[in-house]
Amino acid sequence: MKTKIAIIGAGPAGLALANALLRRGIGDFLVLEREAEAGGLCRSQIVDGAPLDTGGGHFLDVRRPAVTAFAFDFLPEAEWNRFDRDSRISIHGRLIGSPFEANIWQLDEAHQRRYLADIAAAGCNTGAPMPEKFVDWIYWKLGRGIAEDYMLPYNRKMFGDDLNVLGTYWLEKLPNVSYEDTLRSCEERRPHAVQPGHASFHYPKAFGFGELWRRMGEALGPRLLLGTPARTLDVASRTVNGEIEAGLVVNTAPWPAFERIDGLSPESLAAIASLRHTAVDIDYVPEDPDTPAQWIYQPDPALPEHRWLVRRNFLPGSRGYWRETRRERNPPLRPGAFRATNDWAYPLNTVGKNEAMAALLAEASAHGVLGLGRWGEWQHYNSDLVVERALALAERISRG
Ligand SMILES: Cc1cc2nc3c(=O)[nH]c(=O)nc-3n(C[C@H](O)[C@H](O)[C@H](O)COP(=O)(O)OP(=O)(O)OC[C@H]3O[C@@H](n4cnc5c(N)ncnc54)[C@H](O)[C@@H]3O)c2cc1C
């Protein structure tokens, strides 16, 4: 079978690309999706009478107007609520605001004094050179107290016990709160910091986040092949599963998940083998935590999970919360409880990953095989950024 474009994966990346191509009058493509439904990590299902996002808590950031407008074409604006972010950190028996450094004023005075003194003595404030290892970087940026009480335990829960396998190149995503800001927050008893993401976001009124992507999948009609995994990929001939020959292949699936990839150099195959990721379980709990927060970070190493999503605070009239837990930390499921599993949740930002991906994508794209999205590019992209990149790619394709 021949097609102009084969898109592998119908998560936000594949769905947005496919729909953007259709809008540009390009219809000669196929989308292969392994699962029985579209949406990838952004899917939802009904649990205990209300939607639950099975890939974790998912919110549409308002930061990219072109992306929001694209989303509203499928799920109109009137069908969304807009919220300002209220996220908390559970620490020392309290729920304080996030980011941590801007909200230590909500702690008792002894903790405030300790954290402030530690930030003042941190390397970034004393002129020490920026370290290259992850753990050293956290101490250098935030000081001992916040590193040991929050950042290191939380990141170990999210990403694994050896944090030094991670690079430091992605840490600019963290909120950048200066010592002066923290001091001012403590003096004025209010936060002084800019939220890095999701400061304001949309969530569907009557559905889970997955409804947006389900509708995008529906719009593709027979071009979307559900329950159709891409098992093999011959990069040199742009052939998927030995039978679909494409003029261009856009891969949004995890590169290491293919059973076989031909036509790449040993260096690129080694780059694929070096990629690391985590799996995350979503466990539903039919209880209502006493908080107005939409989500709560849980750095306590004694708890398996790292985050709670408090459903009624973004889906009015619902109840319960769900926990996000890295698979290795999660105890066996209790009988009758709900758990959704995500084998591919976080691509890890390991040392050397960007160089490995750049070499892989350069070689593959020379053959007409592109990587797109969280897995195709192996980046911590949120869905709004993935859609933005898909829209840009559709434009490039339409220009030939
Ligand atoms: C816990 C958590 C919370 C998040 N919170 C947010 C948030 O609040 N807001 C936000 O915007 N983003 C959030 N994200 C990020 C969001 O999930 C991703 O940006 C988005 O899902 C990326 O889309 P994608 O299409 O690149 O990847 P995916 O959603 O992973 O889609 C990949 C698709 O490829 C399919 N596939 C895999 N292998 C194959 C194969 N061999 N053949 C065919 N198909 C295959 C998969 O089944 C899947 O459908 C969160 C992610 C996690 C893990």
Side-chain angles (χ1 to χ4, degrees):
M1 183 198 305
K2 286 191 190 300
T3 183
K4 189 171 174 192
I5 305 166
I7 301 172
I8 301 174
L15 291 168
L17 174 65
N19 279 289
L21 288 173
L22 273 185
R23 287 179 177 199
R24 292 175 176 275
I26 300 172
D28 183 6
F29 63 79
L30 292 172
V31 184
L32 285 75
E33 169 52 49
R34 183 187 59 191
E35 302 295 332
E37 54 182 3
L41 278 168
C42 295
R43 284 175 290 165
S44 311
Q45 74 182 68
I46 301 293
V47 177
D48 194 15
L52 175 149
D53 298 335
T54 51
H58 274 83
F59 307 100
L60 182 65
D61 204 316
V62 301
R63 273 189 296 188
R64 298 185 162 80
V67 171
T68 313
F70 188 75
F72 288 170
D73 283 349
F74 296 88
L75 192 61
E77 184 167 9
E79 296 193 48
W80 299 79
N81 280 320
R82 182 171 168 154
F83 298 94
D84 288 331
R85 172 173 170 162
D86 183 346
S87 61
R88 312 274 172 117
I89 299 162
S90 176
I91 192 93
H92 306 311
R94 301 187 188 195
L95 289 180
I96 70 164
S98 167
F100 194 104
E101 316 84 278
N103 289 285
I104 61 173
W105 60 274
Q106 294 173 353
L107 292 169
D108 59 67
E109 223 177 283
H111 278 112
Q112 289 184 41
R113 282 186 200 291
R114 181 175 153 231
Y115 291 140
L116 272 171
D118 285 354
I119 299 172
C124 72
N125 291 316
T126 58
M130 190 169 89
E132 283 173 16
K133 291 207 162 148
F134 185 96
V135 173
D136 298 340
W137 192 98
I138 296 292
Y139 278 101
W140 174 84
K141 179 72 185 162
L142 298 165
R144 175 175 292 274
I146 296 179
E148 293 179 359
D149 292 353
Y150 175 52
M151 280 303 283
L152 294 176
Y154 183 77
N155 278 284
R156 284 193 190 103
K157 290 174 81 171
M158 283 268 291
F159 298 127
D161 290 335
D162 183 6
L163 292 176
N164 280 333
V165 301
L166 301 179
T168 52
Y169 52 86
W170 59 285
L171 293 172
E172 79 263 10
K173 265 190 93 167
L174 298 181
N176 191 10
V177 186
S178 68
Y179 171 73
E180 289 72 23
D181 281 339
T182 306
L183 185 61
R184 225 168 115 205
S185 306
C186 291
E187 285 166 356
E188 296 176 11
R189 303 192 59 74
R190 63 190 178 93
H192 281 279
V194 178
Q195 286 285 2
H198 290 117
S200 206
F201 60 82
H202 297 282
Y203 194 85
K205 285 180 182 168
F207 304 100
F209 193 56
E211 178 65 9
L212 170 63
W213 315 100
R214 194 195 65 73
R215 292 189 191 184
M216 278 198 203
E218 212 170 61
L220 298 177
R223 294 179 180 87
L224 173 58
L225 308 177
L226 296 172
T228 309
R231 298 183 197 283
T232 64
L233 172 62
D234 186 329
V235 172
S237 64
R238 297 179 300 280
T239 306
V240 183
N241 291 343
E243 56 180 13
I244 300 174
E245 293 171 31
L248 179 74
V249 175
V250 181
N251 177 39
T252 76
W255 294 90
F258 286 91
E259 287 170 17
R260 191 182 163 132
I261 299 186
D262 293 309
L264 282 179
S265 64
E267 290 75 21
S268 285
L269 293 176
I272 293 174
S274 74
L275 298 172
R276 296 283 172 268
H277 72 286
T278 63
V280 167
D281 294 339
I282 307 304
D283 289 275
Y284 176 70
V285 185
E287 290 162 18
D288 285 324
D290 182 15
T291 174
Q294 292 114 8
W295 64 90
I296 302 171
Y297 299 104
Q298 299 286 358
D300 182 354
L303 286 181
E305 68 271 22
H306 54 261
R307 194 165 74 131
W308 290 8
L309 277 299
V310 186
R311 185 161 63 170
R312 71 172 189 286
N313 294 336
F314 53 90
L315 195 54
S318 66
R319 68 180 198 125
Y321 71 100
W322 67 81
R323 302 191 293 228
E324 297 174 356
T325 314
R326 182 160 57 82
R327 169 92 39 88
E328 289 85 348
R329 295 181 52 88
N330 214 9
L333 186 63
R334 279 177 294 107
F338 173 88
R339 174 173 294 172
T341 59
N342 300 280
D343 294 341
W344 301 86
Y346 285 96
L348 290 188
N349 287 319
T350 45
V351 175
K353 182 227 38 181
N354 281 347
E355 293 76 11
M357 280 309 294
L360 164 65
L361 293 179
E363 186 183 353
S365 67
H367 291 290
V369 175
L370 310 182
L372 176 71
R374 192 166 174 94
W375 305 107
E377 299 175 72
W378 215 265
Q379 297 286 351
H380 275 198
Y381 291 155
N382 273 344
S383 66
D384 54 310
L385 182 50
V386 159
V387 171
E388 185 177 73
R389 296 179 72 76
L391 299 183
L393 178 58
E395 193 197 333
R396 287 206 305 279
I397 292 173
S398 73
R399 280 195 268 111

